[in-house]
mmCIF file of all heavy atoms in Angstrom:
data_model
loop_
_atom_site.group_PDB
_atom_site.id
_atom_site.type_symbol
_atom_site.label_atom_id
_atom_site.label_comp_id
_atom_site.label_asym_id
_atom_site.label_seq_id
_atom_site.Cartn_x
_atom_site.Cartn_y
_atom_site.Cartn_z
ATOM 1 N N ARG A 1 -1.961 -17.205 1.782
ATOM 2 C CA ARG A 1 -1.775 -15.775 1.544
ATOM 3 C C ARG A 1 -2.725 -14.953 2.414
ATOM 4 O O ARG A 1 -3.837 -15.394 2.720
ATOM 5 C CB ARG A 1 -2.047 -15.424 0.069
ATOM 6 C CG ARG A 1 -1.056 -16.006 -0.911
ATOM 7 C CD ARG A 1 -1.517 -15.737 -2.324
ATOM 8 N NE ARG A 1 -0.574 -16.271 -3.310
ATOM 9 C CZ ARG A 1 -0.811 -16.330 -4.611
ATOM 10 N NH1 ARG A 1 -1.966 -15.880 -5.093
ATOM 11 N NH2 ARG A 1 0.087 -16.831 -5.435
ATOM 12 N N ALA A 2 -2.272 -13.766 2.758
ATOM 13 C CA ALA A 2 -3.168 -12.781 3.358
ATOM 14 C C ALA A 2 -4.140 -12.272 2.301
ATOM 15 O O ALA A 2 -3.948 -12.480 1.095
ATOM 16 C CB ALA A 2 -2.354 -11.625 3.943
ATOM 17 N N VAL A 3 -5.178 -11.604 2.750
ATOM 18 C CA VAL A 3 -6.185 -11.028 1.857
ATOM 19 C C VAL A 3 -6.313 -9.561 2.247
ATOM 20 O O VAL A 3 -7.008 -9.217 3.200
ATOM 21 C CB VAL A 3 -7.534 -11.753 2.000
ATOM 22 C CG1 VAL A 3 -8.600 -11.063 1.163
ATOM 23 C CG2 VAL A 3 -7.389 -13.224 1.613
ATOM 24 N N LEU A 4 -5.624 -8.679 1.510
ATOM 25 C CA LEU A 4 -5.479 -7.306 1.982
ATOM 26 C C LEU A 4 -5.779 -6.249 0.919
ATOM 27 O O LEU A 4 -5.108 -5.219 0.865
ATOM 28 C CB LEU A 4 -4.074 -7.090 2.559
ATOM 29 C CG LEU A 4 -3.902 -7.522 4.015
ATOM 30 C CD1 LEU A 4 -2.466 -7.318 4.464
ATOM 31 C CD2 LEU A 4 -4.848 -6.745 4.924
ATOM 32 N N HIS A 5 -6.779 -6.503 0.088
ATOM 33 C CA HIS A 5 -7.196 -5.421 -0.800
ATOM 34 C C HIS A 5 -7.652 -4.211 0.019
ATOM 35 O O HIS A 5 -7.577 -3.073 -0.458
ATOM 36 C CB HIS A 5 -8.321 -5.887 -1.729
ATOM 37 C CG HIS A 5 -9.453 -6.585 -1.029
ATOM 38 N ND1 HIS A 5 -9.375 -7.889 -0.630
ATOM 39 C CD2 HIS A 5 -10.683 -6.138 -0.643
ATOM 40 C CE1 HIS A 5 -10.505 -8.235 -0.047
ATOM 41 N NE2 HIS A 5 -11.319 -7.186 -0.032
ATOM 42 N N THR A 6 -8.111 -4.454 1.246
ATOM 43 C CA THR A 6 -8.515 -3.338 2.105
ATOM 44 C C THR A 6 -7.329 -2.446 2.466
ATOM 45 O O THR A 6 -7.506 -1.242 2.705
ATOM 46 C CB THR A 6 -9.164 -3.865 3.394
ATOM 47 O OG1 THR A 6 -8.283 -4.818 4.014
ATOM 48 C CG2 THR A 6 -10.491 -4.554 3.080
ATOM 49 N N ALA A 7 -6.115 -2.998 2.510
ATOM 50 C CA ALA A 7 -4.936 -2.180 2.836
ATOM 51 C C ALA A 7 -4.667 -1.148 1.752
ATOM 52 O O ALA A 7 -4.105 -0.080 2.023
ATOM 53 C CB ALA A 7 -3.713 -3.077 3.022
ATOM 54 N N LEU A 8 -5.073 -1.439 0.531
ATOM 55 C CA LEU A 8 -4.818 -0.529 -0.586
ATOM 56 C C LEU A 8 -5.573 0.787 -0.421
ATOM 57 O O LEU A 8 -5.186 1.797 -1.005
ATOM 58 C CB LEU A 8 -5.224 -1.190 -1.901
ATOM 59 C CG LEU A 8 -4.473 -2.477 -2.252
ATOM 60 C CD1 LEU A 8 -5.130 -3.152 -3.447
ATOM 61 C CD2 LEU A 8 -3.009 -2.190 -2.538
ATOM 62 N N ARG A 9 -6.639 0.764 0.364
ATOM 63 C CA ARG A 9 -7.436 1.974 0.561
ATOM 64 C C ARG A 9 -7.402 2.436 2.016
ATOM 65 O O ARG A 9 -8.177 3.292 2.427
ATOM 66 C CB ARG A 9 -8.874 1.753 0.099
ATOM 67 C CG ARG A 9 -9.588 0.596 0.791
ATOM 68 C CD ARG A 9 -10.364 -0.246 -0.162
ATOM 69 N NE ARG A 9 -11.289 -1.157 0.510
ATOM 70 C CZ ARG A 9 -11.922 -2.145 -0.090
ATOM 71 N NH1 ARG A 9 -11.743 -2.378 -1.379
ATOM 72 N NH2 ARG A 9 -12.770 -2.921 0.574
ATOM 73 N N ALA A 10 -6.503 1.871 2.814
ATOM 74 C CA ALA A 10 -6.386 2.262 4.213
ATOM 75 C C ALA A 10 -5.733 3.633 4.338
ATOM 76 O O ALA A 10 -5.084 4.127 3.404
ATOM 77 C CB ALA A 10 -5.564 1.225 4.976
ATOM 78 N N GLU A 11 -5.909 4.263 5.492
ATOM 79 C CA GLU A 11 -5.208 5.518 5.774
ATOM 80 C C GLU A 11 -3.702 5.280 5.687
ATOM 81 O O GLU A 11 -3.201 4.254 6.142
ATOM 82 C CB GLU A 11 -5.563 6.022 7.176
ATOM 83 C CG GLU A 11 -7.006 6.485 7.333
ATOM 84 C CD GLU A 11 -7.232 7.879 6.763
ATOM 85 O OE1 GLU A 11 -6.280 8.459 6.190
ATOM 86 O OE2 GLU A 11 -8.360 8.391 6.908
ATOM 87 N N GLU A 12 -2.979 6.238 5.113
ATOM 88 C CA GLU A 12 -1.544 6.054 4.936
ATOM 89 C C GLU A 12 -0.806 5.963 6.264
ATOM 90 O O GLU A 12 0.313 5.438 6.320
ATOM 91 C CB GLU A 12 -0.971 7.182 4.070
ATOM 92 C CG GLU A 12 -1.466 7.120 2.630
ATOM 93 C CD GLU A 12 -0.741 8.070 1.709
ATOM 94 O OE1 GLU A 12 0.070 8.891 2.206
ATOM 95 O OE2 GLU A 12 -0.972 7.994 0.486
ATOM 96 N N SER A 13 -1.419 6.439 7.326
ATOM 97 C CA SER A 13 -0.787 6.359 8.643
ATOM 98 C C SER A 13 -0.966 4.994 9.294
ATOM 99 O O SER A 13 -0.373 4.721 10.346
ATOM 100 C CB SER A 13 -1.380 7.431 9.561
ATOM 101 O OG SER A 13 -2.790 7.251 9.684
ATOM 102 N N ALA A 14 -1.756 4.120 8.674
ATOM 103 C CA ALA A 14 -2.002 2.794 9.249
ATOM 104 C C ALA A 14 -0.737 1.939 9.192
ATOM 105 O O ALA A 14 0.161 2.178 8.389
ATOM 106 C CB ALA A 14 -3.138 2.104 8.492
ATOM 107 N N ALA A 15 -0.702 0.950 10.064
ATOM 108 C CA ALA A 15 0.372 -0.049 10.049
ATOM 109 C C ALA A 15 -0.276 -1.417 9.883
ATOM 110 O O ALA A 15 -0.974 -1.890 10.776
ATOM 111 C CB ALA A 15 1.191 0.017 11.329
ATOM 112 N N ILE A 16 -0.080 -2.022 8.723
ATOM 113 C CA ILE A 16 -0.686 -3.318 8.417
ATOM 114 C C ILE A 16 0.435 -4.275 8.061
ATOM 115 O O ILE A 16 1.225 -4.018 7.142
ATOM 116 C CB ILE A 16 -1.695 -3.189 7.260
ATOM 117 C CG1 ILE A 16 -2.802 -2.188 7.643
ATOM 118 C CG2 ILE A 16 -2.299 -4.544 6.911
ATOM 119 C CD1 ILE A 16 -3.734 -1.819 6.519
ATOM 120 N N HIS A 17 0.502 -5.386 8.774
ATOM 121 C CA HIS A 17 1.652 -6.278 8.666
ATOM 122 C C HIS A 17 1.300 -7.593 7.982
ATOM 123 O O HIS A 17 0.237 -8.180 8.240
ATOM 124 C CB HIS A 17 2.233 -6.560 10.052
ATOM 125 C CG HIS A 17 2.845 -5.349 10.701
ATOM 126 N ND1 HIS A 17 2.092 -4.418 11.378
ATOM 127 C CD2 HIS A 17 4.138 -4.921 10.754
ATOM 128 C CE1 HIS A 17 2.883 -3.459 11.832
ATOM 129 N NE2 HIS A 17 4.131 -3.742 11.476
ATOM 130 N N VAL A 18 2.180 -8.027 7.109
ATOM 131 C CA VAL A 18 2.113 -9.348 6.508
ATOM 132 C C VAL A 18 3.444 -10.023 6.787
ATOM 133 O O VAL A 18 4.505 -9.478 6.447
ATOM 134 C CB VAL A 18 1.862 -9.272 4.986
ATOM 135 C CG1 VAL A 18 1.914 -10.668 4.368
ATOM 136 C CG2 VAL A 18 0.517 -8.617 4.696
ATOM 137 N N ASP A 19 3.382 -11.182 7.438
ATOM 138 C CA ASP A 19 4.607 -11.899 7.823
ATOM 139 C C ASP A 19 5.552 -10.991 8.613
ATOM 140 O O ASP A 19 6.770 -10.994 8.412
ATOM 141 C CB ASP A 19 5.327 -12.452 6.585
ATOM 142 C CG ASP A 19 4.478 -13.469 5.836
ATOM 143 O OD1 ASP A 19 3.703 -14.190 6.498
ATOM 144 O OD2 ASP A 19 4.572 -13.524 4.603
ATOM 145 N N GLY A 20 4.976 -10.188 9.484
ATOM 146 C CA GLY A 20 5.780 -9.345 10.355
ATOM 147 C C GLY A 20 6.300 -8.062 9.733
ATOM 148 O O GLY A 20 7.026 -7.304 10.382
ATOM 149 N N ARG A 21 5.914 -7.768 8.487
ATOM 150 C CA ARG A 21 6.421 -6.586 7.785
ATOM 151 C C ARG A 21 5.285 -5.644 7.445
ATOM 152 O O ARG A 21 4.255 -6.048 6.903
ATOM 153 C CB ARG A 21 7.135 -7.027 6.506
ATOM 154 C CG ARG A 21 7.748 -5.893 5.703
ATOM 155 C CD ARG A 21 8.597 -6.458 4.563
ATOM 156 N NE ARG A 21 9.152 -5.399 3.753
ATOM 157 C CZ ARG A 21 8.539 -4.888 2.667
ATOM 158 N NH1 ARG A 21 7.352 -5.352 2.312
ATOM 159 N NH2 ARG A 21 9.110 -3.933 1.971
ATOM 160 N N ASN A 22 5.461 -4.366 7.768
ATOM 161 C CA ASN A 22 4.460 -3.360 7.460
ATOM 162 C C ASN A 22 4.426 -3.115 5.948
ATOM 163 O O ASN A 22 5.424 -2.705 5.348
ATOM 164 C CB ASN A 22 4.791 -2.054 8.195
ATOM 165 C CG ASN A 22 3.710 -0.995 8.025
ATOM 166 O OD1 ASN A 22 2.663 -1.251 7.432
ATOM 167 N ND2 ASN A 22 3.976 0.188 8.532
ATOM 168 N N VAL A 23 3.253 -3.375 5.332
ATOM 169 C CA VAL A 23 3.150 -3.263 3.869
ATOM 170 C C VAL A 23 2.769 -1.865 3.416
ATOM 171 O O VAL A 23 2.805 -1.571 2.221
ATOM 172 C CB VAL A 23 2.129 -4.280 3.310
ATOM 173 C CG1 VAL A 23 2.545 -5.701 3.627
ATOM 174 C CG2 VAL A 23 0.721 -3.996 3.848
ATOM 175 N N MET A 24 2.409 -0.994 4.349
ATOM 176 C CA MET A 24 1.936 0.330 3.949
ATOM 177 C C MET A 24 2.989 1.166 3.217
ATOM 178 O O MET A 24 2.647 1.861 2.251
ATOM 179 C CB MET A 24 1.384 1.083 5.165
ATOM 180 C CG MET A 24 0.061 0.531 5.673
ATOM 181 S SD MET A 24 -1.229 0.407 4.397
ATOM 182 C CE MET A 24 -1.451 2.120 3.936
ATOM 183 N N PRO A 25 4.266 1.149 3.617
ATOM 184 C CA PRO A 25 5.247 1.922 2.843
ATOM 185 C C PRO A 25 5.316 1.502 1.380
ATOM 186 O O PRO A 25 5.455 2.361 0.491
ATOM 187 C CB PRO A 25 6.565 1.638 3.573
ATOM 188 C CG PRO A 25 6.156 1.359 4.980
ATOM 189 C CD PRO A 25 4.862 0.605 4.860
ATOM 190 N N ASP A 26 5.196 0.203 1.101
ATOM 191 C CA ASP A 26 5.198 -0.262 -0.290
ATOM 192 C C ASP A 26 3.973 0.245 -1.043
ATOM 193 O O ASP A 26 4.069 0.678 -2.199
ATOM 194 C CB ASP A 26 5.225 -1.801 -0.339
ATOM 195 C CG ASP A 26 6.560 -2.378 0.111
ATOM 196 O OD1 ASP A 26 7.540 -1.615 0.163
ATOM 197 O OD2 ASP A 26 6.603 -3.580 0.412
ATOM 198 N N ILE A 27 2.824 0.186 -0.387
ATOM 199 C CA ILE A 27 1.587 0.652 -1.013
ATOM 200 C C ILE A 27 1.674 2.136 -1.327
ATOM 201 O O ILE A 27 1.338 2.577 -2.433
ATOM 202 C CB ILE A 27 0.380 0.358 -0.097
ATOM 203 C CG1 ILE A 27 0.167 -1.149 0.028
ATOM 204 C CG2 ILE A 27 -0.882 1.041 -0.625
ATOM 205 C CD1 ILE A 27 -0.876 -1.540 1.062
ATOM 206 N N ILE A 28 2.157 2.894 -0.373
ATOM 207 C CA ILE A 28 2.284 4.340 -0.564
ATOM 208 C C ILE A 28 3.245 4.649 -1.703
ATOM 209 O O ILE A 28 3.016 5.545 -2.526
ATOM 210 C CB ILE A 28 2.748 5.011 0.747
ATOM 211 C CG1 ILE A 28 1.651 4.879 1.813
ATOM 212 C CG2 ILE A 28 3.094 6.481 0.518
ATOM 213 C CD1 ILE A 28 2.110 5.237 3.206
ATOM 214 N N GLY A 29 4.340 3.875 -1.781
ATOM 215 C CA GLY A 29 5.324 4.088 -2.838
ATOM 216 C C GLY A 29 4.754 3.850 -4.220
ATOM 217 O O GLY A 29 4.984 4.642 -5.152
ATOM 218 N N VAL A 30 3.990 2.768 -4.378
ATOM 219 C CA VAL A 30 3.384 2.481 -5.679
ATOM 220 C C VAL A 30 2.340 3.541 -6.023
ATOM 221 O O VAL A 30 2.253 3.997 -7.168
ATOM 222 C CB VAL A 30 2.762 1.068 -5.697
ATOM 223 C CG1 VAL A 30 1.960 0.851 -6.979
ATOM 224 C CG2 VAL A 30 3.835 0.005 -5.573
ATOM 225 N N LYS A 31 1.551 3.959 -5.041
ATOM 226 C CA LYS A 31 0.561 5.015 -5.285
ATOM 227 C C LYS A 31 1.230 6.287 -5.801
ATOM 228 O O LYS A 31 0.735 6.939 -6.722
ATOM 229 C CB LYS A 31 -0.195 5.335 -3.995
ATOM 230 C CG LYS A 31 -1.314 4.390 -3.632
ATOM 231 C CD LYS A 31 -2.010 4.935 -2.396
ATOM 232 C CE LYS A 31 -3.057 3.988 -1.870
ATOM 233 N NZ LYS A 31 -3.662 4.488 -0.613
ATOM 234 N N LYS A 32 2.351 6.636 -5.194
ATOM 235 C CA LYS A 32 3.053 7.857 -5.608
ATOM 236 C C LYS A 32 3.563 7.723 -7.035
ATOM 237 O O LYS A 32 3.444 8.649 -7.847
ATOM 238 C CB LYS A 32 4.206 8.161 -4.663
ATOM 239 C CG LYS A 32 4.902 9.499 -4.949
ATOM 240 C CD LYS A 32 6.009 9.789 -3.960
ATOM 241 C CE LYS A 32 6.587 11.189 -4.198
ATOM 242 N NZ LYS A 32 7.006 11.424 -5.587
ATOM 243 N N ARG A 33 4.138 6.564 -7.377
ATOM 244 C CA ARG A 33 4.626 6.353 -8.739
ATOM 245 C C ARG A 33 3.482 6.411 -9.738
ATOM 246 O O ARG A 33 3.618 6.984 -10.824
ATOM 247 C CB ARG A 33 5.368 5.018 -8.834
ATOM 248 C CG ARG A 33 6.687 4.969 -8.081
ATOM 249 C CD ARG A 33 7.407 3.648 -8.322
ATOM 250 N NE ARG A 33 7.664 3.460 -9.738
ATOM 251 C CZ ARG A 33 7.309 2.372 -10.437
ATOM 252 N NH1 ARG A 33 6.675 1.376 -9.849
ATOM 253 N NH2 ARG A 33 7.589 2.284 -11.722
ATOM 254 N N LEU A 34 2.356 5.809 -9.385
ATOM 255 C CA LEU A 34 1.186 5.848 -10.260
ATOM 256 C C LEU A 34 0.702 7.282 -10.462
ATOM 257 O O LEU A 34 0.408 7.696 -11.585
ATOM 258 C CB LEU A 34 0.053 5.006 -9.661
ATOM 259 C CG LEU A 34 0.184 3.490 -9.731
ATOM 260 C CD1 LEU A 34 -0.847 2.830 -8.819
ATOM 261 C CD2 LEU A 34 0.012 2.994 -11.164
ATOM 262 N N ALA A 35 0.627 8.031 -9.367
ATOM 263 C CA ALA A 35 0.152 9.410 -9.459
ATOM 264 C C ALA A 35 1.095 10.267 -10.296
ATOM 265 O O ALA A 35 0.644 11.080 -11.125
ATOM 266 C CB ALA A 35 -0.001 9.996 -8.056
ATOM 267 N N ASP A 36 2.402 10.083 -10.112
ATOM 268 C CA ASP A 36 3.376 10.841 -10.905
ATOM 269 C C ASP A 36 3.228 10.526 -12.388
ATOM 270 O O ASP A 36 3.241 11.434 -13.241
ATOM 271 C CB ASP A 36 4.802 10.523 -10.435
ATOM 272 C CG ASP A 36 5.109 11.111 -9.064
ATOM 273 O OD1 ASP A 36 4.349 11.978 -8.603
ATOM 274 O OD2 ASP A 36 6.113 10.677 -8.455
ATOM 275 N N PHE A 37 3.083 9.242 -12.690
ATOM 276 C CA PHE A 37 2.931 8.842 -14.093
ATOM 277 C C PHE A 37 1.624 9.381 -14.671
ATOM 278 O O PHE A 37 1.602 9.936 -15.786
ATOM 279 C CB PHE A 37 2.967 7.317 -14.208
ATOM 280 C CG PHE A 37 2.723 6.812 -15.602
ATOM 281 C CD1 PHE A 37 3.706 6.913 -16.573
ATOM 282 C CD2 PHE A 37 1.503 6.246 -15.948
ATOM 283 C CE1 PHE A 37 3.478 6.458 -17.874
ATOM 284 C CE2 PHE A 37 1.266 5.788 -17.233
ATOM 285 C CZ PHE A 37 2.260 5.903 -18.200
ATOM 286 N N ALA A 38 0.536 9.246 -13.915
ATOM 287 C CA ALA A 38 -0.759 9.729 -14.405
ATOM 288 C C ALA A 38 -0.715 11.226 -14.677
ATOM 289 O O ALA A 38 -1.239 11.704 -15.698
ATOM 290 C CB ALA A 38 -1.853 9.394 -13.397
ATOM 291 N N ASP A 39 -0.103 11.973 -13.788
ATOM 292 C CA ASP A 39 -0.012 13.423 -13.989
ATOM 293 C C ASP A 39 0.794 13.761 -15.249
ATOM 294 O O ASP A 39 0.429 14.675 -15.999
ATOM 295 C CB ASP A 39 0.642 14.079 -12.768
ATOM 296 C CG ASP A 39 -0.330 14.241 -11.606
ATOM 297 O OD1 ASP A 39 -1.548 14.236 -11.846
ATOM 298 O OD2 ASP A 39 0.141 14.354 -10.454
#
């Protein structure tokens, strides 16, 4: 496995790939859902 807890706090404009796939859109999506729920 990759070790990417650092990606969770990276700039949203970053491109971080796992197995050739940029994981940042997924991270941003979960953050948005969390923020909407928290609000």
Side-chain angles (χ1 to χ4, degrees):
R1 293 173 179 171
V3 175
L4 276 178
H5 49 281
T6 53
L8 299 170
R9 58 224 193 191
E11 292 281 3
E12 292 190 353
S13 59
I16 301 171
H17 293 83
V18 175
D19 298 327
R21 182 172 178 269
N22 186 5
V23 299
M24 289 306 297
D26 290 344
I27 294 172
I28 294 168
V30 172
K31 280 185 186 176
K32 186 178 185 307
R33 291 185 59 233
L34 286 167
D36 289 345
F37 176 75
D39 281 339

